[in-house]
Amino acid sequence: MEIAKGIYAVGGLNNKTAVFFNKTTDPVHSTFKAKITDSLIAGKWLPWGDNNLYPQEFANKLKKTGVAVGGLEVLTAAHFGTGFRLYQGTETEEAIIFRERLVESFPDIAAFYYRTKFDIVLTEIITDYETFRVSFPEYLLSPNGNEIISVRRIKAADCRFEAPDNSGIINNIGVNTDWENYEDKNTTVIPCFGANIPIEEIKAFCKEKGIRKFTIPVIDTLLVEKSYPSVGWHASFKNGWVDVVLSIPAFKKAMFEQQLNIKYLIHISDEYFSHVYGQDWNLFTPEERQEKRTQLVDLIHENLQGNQAGGKSIISPFFIDRISGKEIKGIQIDEVPQAQSNGDFLLDSSAANYEILTAMGVDPCLITGGAFGGKTLSGSGSDKREAWTILCAKLPIKQIRTLQIFENIKIWNGWDLTVFGKFPNINLTTLDKNKNGQETVVN
């Protein structure tokens, strides 16, 4: 039954799904038909990863990988820039002039912005998007469905796509905070629409079916994947480079714990004790002799360790061996070389860190002043400035997806169409060009 132009209801009266046969199809999900197999979770949810726990397992590994944590922070910070800002375009005979506007200039937008803490919601969605290249904003509607009154982030790791219908379209997502111990009663079903479906059509369908909340996933274009995007920079987690980074600290720790951690090796000749104690030495019992040796070692140890040992001298007599005539040192102290200070495996760690950041598209100079492993790399101000500029130049192709959230709300609520959102960024410059060393750039 056609309920609006290009929208057809399927199933019974309680079926809150839609199949879109209009010319604007969902490029993300309508290009495949998944087979209903035993691999589905509870027979209806598409697993994310072989065991359906890919995001959870990835996040656990990520938080142990310092360089990836730092790189991800750079990506999210660059994407968000200085925060969500409103701009308005005015067309003249010569050109289109864009100027920044205060949110307060538009009462309806300002009320929504402050009520929903829109900036914070966007930071959360951007974090999910930069981590998994998919995020799930949930739009909440007014009782009559005429307005979007709020938007919030559903944690991406908790979401799973429903198996496609016979037309190859995904109609819902399931939200569950514990997929490892799945229970149907703990799974919330939320209607899901494709990003390229016109907002007016979604609005008409939601009114007809009484839908008051839904999601339009912010998702990367799929290449050969069928449902969840394959994130490019996750390659270093799959090909072993991250394992290299994580194994080196564990190896170093084990080496520190298991090796003999001895600073000095002390040699003491029995001639020394014969000289000090004279004929009494021959009268001491073996136990008394050992006690005297221990007392001497403790005395030397106390005088060698700590700051108080600085500049001190130890006097040790020389003796002449009665048989060979050679000199014998009464006390000899040798320093034991410390093997853990040789920098083993740091070059391997450096190569692994570089591979991780290369996949992320983050220049190492943005998170460190020099190269990993102690070798000096270029970390000058100009290197950082150019690296940041290049990174920001790549952002529009990603920002256009997260900014679509504002566009969806704007169209649904009938706000001024000449107003649009942007994430301006700070472009570092030199003091001769700007006294504060920075300027705002809008991509």
Side-chain angles (χ1 to χ4, degrees), residues 183-438:
E183 289 189 34
D184 192 64
K185 65 180 181 180
N186 296 331
T187 305
T188 302
V189 180
I190 298 176
C192 173
F193 298 98
N196 276 21
I197 299 172
I199 291 298
E200 294 85 352
E201 295 185 7
I202 298 177
K203 187 174 184 178
F205 179 75
C206 288
K207 279 190 174 183
E208 176 68 19
K209 303 302 293 182
I211 296 173
R212 291 298 175 260
K213 65 179 181 179
F214 62 90
T215 184
I216 302 175
V218 178
I219 187 169
D220 260 7
T221 301
L222 303 181
L223 297 177
V224 297
E225 307 87 359
K226 292 185 176 180
S227 51
Y228 307 98
S230 179
V231 185
W233 65 268
H234 289 194
S236 56
F237 283 76
K238 299 173 183 177
N239 61 22
W241 280 116
V242 166
D243 294 323
V244 171
V245 170
L246 295 179
S247 65
I248 290 174
F251 180 83
K252 286 283 189 181
K253 181 175 181 291
M255 186 174 68
F256 271 92
E257 291 176 345
Q258 296 175 23
Q259 72 178 0
L260 289 174
N261 193 16
I262 299 172
K263 180 67 173 175
Y264 298 105
L265 181 60
I266 303 173
H267 308 268
I268 304 175
S269 170
D270 267 2
E271 289 291 341
Y272 171 83
F273 296 101
S274 298
H275 176 77
V276 172
Y277 295 102
Q279 292 298 323
D280 292 340
W281 181 250
N282 295 325
L283 300 176
F284 290 157
T285 66
E287 290 77 13
E288 290 173 330
R289 290 185 181 186
Q290 185 58 42
E291 182 181 355
K292 297 298 183 183
R293 295 186 184 104
T294 302
Q295 289 175 355
L296 177 60
V297 170
D298 290 342
L299 180 63
I300 294 173
H301 181 70
E302 290 172 4
N303 282 273
L304 286 178
Q305 69 177 0
N307 293 332
Q308 70 275 13
K312 283 190 175 182
S313 300
I314 294 179
I315 299 174
S316 172
F318 276 77
F319 305 100
I320 303 298
D321 187 82
R322 297 183 182 88
I323 299 174
S324 66
K326 293 182 179 179
E327 288 184 345
I328 300 175
K329 296 179 182 178
I331 300 175
Q332 180 176 328
I333 301 174
D334 296 331
E335 185 173 356
V336 180
Q338 302 299 303
Q340 66 267 29
S341 62
N342 60 11
D344 283 347
F345 307 110
L346 289 184
L347 288 178
D348 300 302
S349 178
S350 177
N353 286 329
Y354 188 80
E355 288 289 337
I356 293 170
L357 290 179
T358 297
M360 299 180 84
V362 174
D363 193 305
C365 73
L366 291 176
I367 61 174
T368 178
F372 309 101
K375 302 294 182 183
T376 302
L377 261 189
S378 167
S380 66
S382 11
D383 290 325
K384 294 178 183 292
R385 186 166 56 248
E386 294 305 317
W388 181 254
T389 301
I390 293 170
L391 177 63
C392 292
K394 300 176 181 178
L395 292 176
I397 196 171
K398 296 193 289 185
Q399 290 173 334
I400 196 173
R401 297 182 184 276
T402 50
L403 287 171
Q404 189 61 39
I405 296 171
F406 176 78
E407 291 297 303
N408 293 337
I409 301 169
K410 178 179 75 176
I411 295 171
W412 192 295
N413 291 354
W415 295 339
D416 190 336
L417 294 179
T418 65
V419 177
F420 56 92
K422 284 289 184 182
F423 293 122
N425 231 310
I426 294 299
N427 190 28
L428 305 176
T429 183
T430 52
L431 294 178
D432 61 323
K433 295 181 180 178
N434 194 317
K435 291 183 179 180
N436 62 12
Q438 62 185 35

Side-chain angles (χ1 to χ4, degrees), residues 150-168:
S150 186
V151 64
R152 71 182 185 98
R153 167 240 190 183
I154 309 174
K155 190 187 299 183
D158 293 342
C159 299
R160 299 295 184 271
F161 287 117
E162 187 181 50
D165 60 21
N166 292 333
S167 300

